[in-house]
Amino acid sequence: MSCSLRPPGAWKKKHKRRSYEVHSSVLVLDLSIRTAMLGVFTLLSLGSLVALVRPPNVHAVRCRRCCDHLEPAEGSGDQPPTRGFNHVPEVRTYINMTILKGDKGERGDRGTSGKAGPEGLPGSRGPMGSKGSKGQAGLPGDACKVQHSAFSVGRRKSLHSVESYQALVFDTVFVNLDDHFNMFDGKFLCRVPGIYFFNVNIHTWNFKETYLHIMHTEREQAIVYAQPSDRSIMQSQSLMLRLELKDEVWIRLYKRERENAIYSDDVDVYITFNGYIITGSQGGN
């Protein structure tokens, strides 16, 4: 048998290295245990906090131990643990009606009419429409009744003034529609109211004054005048008058306060008086 001899310091170095390895393993194991215990403690603390806050509508659950799943000892009188869940959760069906849509139903009956609302403001004027078709001819109307009135008369005799006024009477008729001019008193009688035109023509006498008036009933409207002269001349006067029914128009010679005369003879007509209606008005006869 052969044996080898080790130096005296080698054994001590080997023993010292193993002691250091064992000590390091113990420290690692102790640190792992502490870390595990700290994790378990943290989980237990969180579990306690969760258990303290119970969610709404959730029944309390009996605390279970890690040994509850073991069978109870014989003769202890404890009930064996139940398998599975102790509490059956309640299942409630919820249907979202907003996502369900059936087939379209039949049209319902018409409801009663509501009350009429207030009248609205008038709208703006619309555009002009197209021109319509020509209508039928109407019934024939009454024929228009055109009223006429006119006269033209003359005098073939001279006339001198007297103590009173004189109406100039005429002896020759040129026109006298419906005898509106009265030849006996020398006056025109209005039977068709309206606007009339009148004209008078006379011939003066040598060295004598000529002085006449156109009369509307009893009112003087216009004068026919000529001063005395050694030569005779023709004088004329015209005017328009608005006449009413039964008004009169005539020529008046002035009285003898002044030497007054008009000239004419049997051969020629020097003196004329004319009148006619321009436009009539209602009320004529």
Side-chain angles (χ1 to χ4, degrees), residues 28 35 78 87 96 104 121 124 130 141 165 179 206 216 229 233:
V28 172
T35 303
D78 294 336
H87 175 73
N96 188 358
K104 184 177 180 181
L121 298 175
S124 58
S130 58
Y165 296 110
D179 292 329
N206 295 350
H216 180 192
S229 175
I233 59 174

Side-chain angles (χ1 to χ4, degrees), residues 15 166 236 248:
H15 180 73
Q166 300 180 75
S236 179
E248 293 179 332

